[in-house]
Structures are given as structure tokens and as C-alpha cells.
Amino acid sequence: MKFASKLLNKLKCLTMIVLVTTVVSCDSWLDLGSEDRIMENTLFSSQAGFMTALNGVY
């Protein structure tokens, strides 16, 4: 009976840790910018950007 009580307490503690970790996750760390594309607002903001777009079309 004592063993079952300790096991149940450990299981409750582990469940709480998993729940807290899931709820309090760091979602800003997961927000990644697009590194394989050039965005339109930065591409067409200068003459060099227009030339890059023109070279991409060619």
C-alpha cells in the first residue's frame, strides 16, 4: 500500500510538470522569419532591391 501511494504521488507530480511545461511554453522562440525568401516590403524599398528583383526575373 505504501509503494502504491508513493507511485501515485510521483505520477501526479510528473503529470503536473508535463502540464505546466505544455501550458507555459515559449512560443516566441518558435517564431522564425523566412530565411529562404526575400519579402516584398524589403525587396522593393530601395533601388538595389528593384535590381535584385529584375535579375531574378531574367
Side-chain angles (χ1 to χ4, degrees), residues 22-42:
T22 303
V23 170
V24 186
S25 63
C26 47
D27 56 15
S28 64
W29 181 69
L30 298 174
D31 292 338
L32 300 176
S34 177
E35 295 180 8
D36 63 339
R37 296 183 214 150
I38 301 173
M39 297 298 167
E40 288 180 16
N41 56 353
T42 58

Side-chain angles (χ1 to χ4, degrees), residues 9-53:
N9 283 338
K10 286 183 181 181
L11 186 61
K12 284 181 183 179
C13 188
L14 181 65
T15 303
M16 290 301 292
I17 290 172
V18 168
L19 285 175
V20 167
T21 304
T22 303
V23 170
V24 186
S25 63
C26 47
D27 56 15
S28 64
W29 181 69
L30 298 174
D31 292 338
L32 300 176
S34 177
E35 295 180 8
D36 63 339
R37 296 183 214 150
I38 301 173
M39 297 298 167
E40 288 180 16
N41 56 353
T42 58
L43 182 64
F44 297 116
S45 63
S46 66
Q47 183 179 0
F50 278 103
M51 293 305 288
T52 302

